[in-house]
Amino acid sequence: MCPIKMSQSAESQKGVLFVISGPSGTGKGTICRALQQENPALRLSVSTTTRFPRNGEIEGEHYYFLKKQDFEKMIQEDQFLEWAKVYGNYYGTSRQFVLETLDKGSDVILEIDIQGALQVKEKLPEAVLIFIAPPTKFELESRLIARGTDSLEEIQRRLSCTIDELKLATRYDYVVINDYIERAVDKVQAVITAEKSRPRHFKTFFEQFAQ
Ligand code: ADP
Ligand code: 5GP
């Protein structure tokens, strides 16, 4: 007689929600693009924003670009899992996209600011928060300048938020310093691999032994 009694688990095979955030220019977008190449099944959520599109940005691929009043209507209709005002513009994550994709069993990645990440953790405590930190203040400024997407005034505005943002890193599940891009991507990938190795993701696998 087997000494271990199997209990029926109510866990479903839901996907995992990974949230990547950190100061502007720290390399979140670069890391997310690399992660998507390594994990084609990982679904990157496309945010909605009232920010003006930058050169080369495509509607529906980089963001859904909306007017302020349309964004505010979506807030009233509770369409966002989280939303925040970041550097003077609204940004938000579609509740429907995230919840439906997780329910279908796919993993989702959000690249959002810190206010938004903490809102997600409050609503979905099982979400995995990864904070991407710059190696130095000087390097962060250099990257923002080298990216060439923002005016010097906008860069200064973004840099002035960094100290307060770094203080909130302690509320995350993981911190990854983006010094060398390959090393940072490997570390985030290691977090994804570890989180996907939790026993609750193996329900279907274990069930085959009962047949
Ligand atoms: P974020 O999405 O956090 O605002 P980006 O991914 O746009 O940041 O990166 C900002 C700039 O820094 C880009 O020009 C990018 O190519 C560069 N970058 C990202 N990671 C590194 C790194 N590890 N070393 C040097 N440059 C980097
Ligand atoms: P950018 O204007 O450079 O594309 O983004 C500015 C900031 O807004 C970045 O920190 C980015 O991560 C954040 N952001 C992008 N989408 C969202 C979102 O849906 N929600 C929140 N809270 N922040 C977002």
Side-chain angles (χ1 to χ4, degrees):
M1 170 89 167
C2 172
I4 304 167
K5 272 243 182 288
M6 290 289 286
S7 64
Q8 286 297 312
S9 164
E11 287 282 355
S12 63
Q13 293 292 109
K14 272 196 177 187
V16 180
L17 180 57
F18 295 97
V19 182
I20 302 268
S21 47
S24 182
T26 198
K28 304 179 293 291
T30 310
I31 290 172
C32 285
R33 282 191 291 279
L35 288 173
Q36 267 211 304
Q37 290 205 321
E38 284 185 29
N39 313 268
L42 196 60
R43 303 289 309 278
L44 182 65
S45 162
V46 177
S47 296
T48 300
T49 183
T50 58
R51 167 167 79 57
F52 203 69
R54 293 176 182 142
N55 259 348
E57 282 186 328
I58 299 165
E59 165 75 18
E61 188 180 318
H62 296 93
Y63 282 105
Y64 297 106
F65 296 98
L66 277 195
K67 289 199 181 76
K68 191 169 166 250
Q69 60 266 35
D70 295 330
F71 193 102
E72 286 170 343
K73 187 165 172 274
M74 288 180 74
I75 297 175
Q76 299 304 322
E77 293 168 352
D78 203 21
Q79 290 199 45
F80 294 117
L81 174 64
E82 64 72 36
W83 64 270
K85 219 169 196 180
V86 191
Y87 315 124
N89 289 300
Y90 283 122
Y91 294 80
T93 301
S94 161
R95 176 192 302 282
Q96 187 181 2
F97 172 79
V98 173
L99 299 185
E100 283 185 4
T101 309
L102 292 175
D103 278 346
K104 283 182 199 149
S106 296
D107 302 325
V108 175
I109 191 154
L110 306 182
E111 188 216 313
I112 62 176
D113 95 307
I114 294 158
Q115 308 167 71
L118 297 177
Q119 287 177 47
V120 170
K121 191 71 174 174
E122 228 165 75
K123 289 179 187 160
L124 303 173
E126 66 278 17
V128 179
L129 265 52
I130 307 169
F131 189 96
I132 309 295
T136 63
K137 202 170 149 187
F138 176 77
E139 176 64 17
L140 182 62
E141 185 170 7
S142 306
R143 286 183 193 173
L144 280 170
I145 294 168
R147 186 168 70 179
T149 52
D150 300 287
S151 65
L152 280 180
E153 191 191 356
E154 179 62 24
I155 288 174
Q156 286 313 319
R157 178 146 75 130
R158 292 182 175 217
L159 285 172
S160 69
C161 300
T162 307
I163 297 172
D164 286 337
E165 290 174 332
L166 290 173
K167 284 183 193 154
L168 292 168
T170 54
R171 294 174 58 182
Y172 279 61
D173 299 300
Y174 299 93
V175 174
V176 170
I177 298 172
N178 179 17
D179 41 13
Y180 297 99
I181 189 66
E182 294 81 8
R183 189 149 72 180
V185 172
D186 283 352
K187 284 187 181 173
V188 178
Q189 184 60 55
V191 169
I192 293 176
T193 305
E195 289 292 335
K196 293 293 292 175
S197 303
R198 293 195 184 272
R200 67 173 178 275
H201 302 302
F202 291 84
K203 184 172 173 265
T204 312
F205 173 79
F206 291 135
E207 272 171 3
Q208 66 172 311
F209 293 94
Q211 282 159 15

